[in-house]
Amino acid sequence: MVKLLENILFRLKAIVLIALGAFTIWMGYQAVQLRPDAGYLKQLPSDHPYIETFLEYRDKLPGGNALMVAVEAKDGNIWTPEFMKVLYDVTDDIFFLPGVFRGSVKSMWTPNTRVFQITEEGFLAYNLIPSNVTRTNIDQEAIEKIQEDADRWGFKGTLFSNDSSAALIRFELQEIHPITREQLDYIDFAQRIETDIRDKYEGEDINIRIIGFAKMIGDIADGAGGVVFFFVISFFLTTAAVFVYCRSVVLTSLAVGSSLISVVWQFGILDLLGYGLDPLAILVPFLVYAIGVSHGIQQINLISAQVVAGADADTAARATFSRLLVPGSMALVTDLAGFATLYLIPVPMIQEMAIVASIGVALKIVSNLIMLPLAAAYFSVPKGYVEKAARLRERRVRLMARVAQITRPAPAAITLVVIGSLFVVAVYQSRDRNIGDVHAGAAELREDARFNVDSRFIVENFNVNLDAFVALVETPENSCISWELMKPVEKFGYHLMNVEGVRSVVSLPEAAKTVYSVWMEGNPKFRELPRNRYTLVLTTNSFGPSSGLTDRNCNFLSVIVFTEDHRAETINRLIAAADGWIAENGSKYPEHTFRLASGNVGLIAATNDVIERSELPILFYVFGVIIFLVLLAYRDWRAIICCCAPLLVATFMGYWLMSWLEIGLKVSTLPVLVLAVGIGVDYAFYIYTRLQFHLEAGEEIVSAFTLAMQETGMAVIFTGLTLSLGVASWVFSALKFQADMGLLLSFMFFANMIGAVTGLPALAAVLHRRFPKYRTASQETAEA
């Protein structure tokens, strides 16, 4: 089959290359139309009970997709006419931003900010800033009254900071436009809020601080320019290294160019399929490019060896095609199947990354295994190249002969002891790996990034932030006016309030207690949940559906827990406390159904839970696919152990590194770790294919591995070093996510390479000596 395919393709190589060139032009046109595509809902798992609660009550509860804008007075005093006019203008501009759910906008100027007060005449309710006070007529006298009401009636720490240096505006976004049904463009929205709010109002007297998912995604997208810059650096470093390896501009162009062309195809096909490129998935195309470079180096390595042996370009290209088509295809199919298993994780963004990676790897079969050797057939050997390549190859052959000594009995045993010890330590150290964010703020951005600076300011100066966990208690109708139904919700909220990391808890029972105290002239001893249903009517009737604490018929009561951050440690404590209380007390209240959870923290908890439950099964699936395809390719259980054991060690070493660097496993990092396994599969396939070939030919294990390393080993070592060097430059990126992934990938590329050239041969030496499958030439001679 391979020979037949070779004859057909090389006979029609000009037509095939012209067709691929035309396809590249078409895909290039499509690729330039590919746009960033960020979404809040696609980061959420699709089959988690928390998400079911969120989707069922998303129109009735405070949403997780919210933003906060803090307007800060640099002189430390917001109670001036000048500042209040700026706050009015900022609130007004936010109200009319496309994508904002206008009913959710809340600041001191909005009419949903109400004061409830008891006077001698009775109960008094009015807007914090009365309707007759406007931007044009607000003066210091009016501000003093506003300040008195805001201080007295509970807006301190929620709508203005504890030190009166900043005022807060909170609002939610609509993922889908209610009229046009178009999806919200988060990156466009982030740019709008930056230009229409921050750039417009920030100056000598005012600071504007903005936090929220949309702003975080926008900042990551802004950092994408830096990502592209470091990709370009990696590209040039890789190109220079490939040239140093082969000393040929043409062969370098073939190895790098074929991989680059397949990325163009990948982007074009994604656009045709209607996909965009999520900023958090921007590293995936480079990983696929790296896999292509790995295969490209193997191709030009063999072409160079054939040319040195005296073959012309066409013969060398044909030999390379025939020899590497099967191992290359098996390696890429293994990568493809492994990446496709990511689709089993029920998170739309990870499924999208699986599609992006799978398309890219499938295209490598055409670009690297077919197009590259066809183009190489037109390669004209420059004068003096053969002599220069022969000298390089001679030095590398001597070096590989030394490396091959690892297959001798003593070095092989020592190597396996060392690798086994590292594996045990790595498994032990990785037991504490974190699921979710390890640090407060946005883990994808640097600690000194503007978003994280703004986030710390709001956390330090206000009693609320966007990190809210919303528990839902379903009750019979009119539960708001039943002490028996309200009391368990109060107890539940009180229990959560005492969890470490919780800043405050808001619920209808707590609000009713506050209003009851107000009715009793502010006497704190009356801050208790009234038992009389008519008193409950009095204390709860002002909290309608817009409050998010209940609905029109009081069929549910929500408990909103504001946390200090959304670190995995904080979330796990809160979830454990909520689940523990429900397990212990839920059966005592048969009329109550406690459901978790909505809010930003609840949705993150759901995502973390899915990642934690999917992590090990996905690794089992990936290694299961690798084992099946290795068995299919080599029909030998020894091959399974030799190819998969080094991969397993490198994977747990990667977990260890993530734990040490405090990188949490989350939607954006787990796929990168799984994709990095693909590089190790490539190394193993190329080396073991040649090792098995020479063992079948009757070579003893040391000489067989020596020949295999001379043919493919140097290319594997060089590929590992080149890719590690290329991604190591990412540590200087402004995006912490890219810097962390640069360190992780650099380590994984290097560890997989070391495993392939040490662990694989050491295992092969021990297994083939202990359980020999092939008869060596010396054995056959002795028997004869």
Side-chain angles (χ1 to χ4, degrees), residues 481-520:
I481 56 174
S482 168
W483 182 90
E484 290 78 11
L485 295 176
M486 290 269 278
K487 191 63 178 178
V489 179
E490 180 199 12
K491 292 180 178 179
F492 181 52
Y494 182 78
H495 178 75
L496 297 182
M497 188 181 296
N498 289 281
V499 176
E500 182 183 353
V502 171
R503 296 175 64 88
S504 60
V505 174
V506 177
S507 67
L508 189 60
E510 290 296 326
K513 288 159 64 176
T514 301
V515 173
Y516 188 37
S517 174
V518 171
W519 270 102
M520 297 299 151

Side-chain angles (χ1 to χ4, degrees), residues 775 778-784:
R775 297 169 63 82
S778 59
Q779 287 173 332
E780 292 178 354
T781 302
E783 290 179 5

Side-chain angles (χ1 to χ4, degrees), residues 92-114:
D92 204 44
D93 284 354
I94 287 174
F95 188 83
F96 290 104
L97 281 176
V100 171
F101 175 41
R102 295 176 181 175
S104 69
V105 179
K106 188 177 183 66
S107 82
M108 286 196 286
W109 276 102
T110 53
N112 54 3
T113 304
R114 304 275 287 171

Side-chain angles (χ1 to χ4, degrees), residues 19-36:
L20 291 175
F23 182 71
T24 302
I25 294 172
W26 180 34
M27 289 299 99
Y29 172 75
Q30 296 296 144
V32 297
Q33 301 179 58
L34 187 68
R35 293 290 179 264

Side-chain angles (χ1 to χ4, degrees), residues 441-474:
E444 292 79 7
L445 302 172
R446 297 280 187 182
E447 188 177 352
D448 59 351
R450 181 64 189 266
F451 181 93
N452 284 333
V453 171
D454 290 351
S455 179
R456 284 195 298 273
F457 175 86
I458 291 176
V459 169
E460 292 168 0
N461 291 277
F462 292 86
N463 296 335
V464 295
N465 55 29
L466 290 178
D467 292 326
F469 174 87
V470 182
L472 191 83
V473 186
E474 295 175 338

Side-chain angles (χ1 to χ4, degrees), residues 568-590:
E569 183 181 2
T570 303
I571 293 175
N572 292 340
R573 275 198 305 266
L574 183 56
I575 295 293
D579 285 340
W581 192 92
I582 293 171
E584 182 179 348
N585 299 282
S587 59
K588 300 176 184 177
Y589 310 110

Side-chain angles (χ1 to χ4, degrees), residues 328-369:
S329 297
M330 290 303 297
L332 287 172
V333 169
T334 304
D335 294 343
L336 179 62
F339 299 162
T341 59
L342 284 172
Y343 199 84
L344 299 175
I345 301 177
V347 178
M349 180 179 163
I350 294 181
Q351 293 174 337
E352 185 177 306
M353 293 172 75
I355 293 172
V356 172
S358 299
I359 290 173
V361 171
L363 293 171
K364 297 299 176 191
I365 298 175
V366 178
S367 65
N368 288 77
L369 302 184

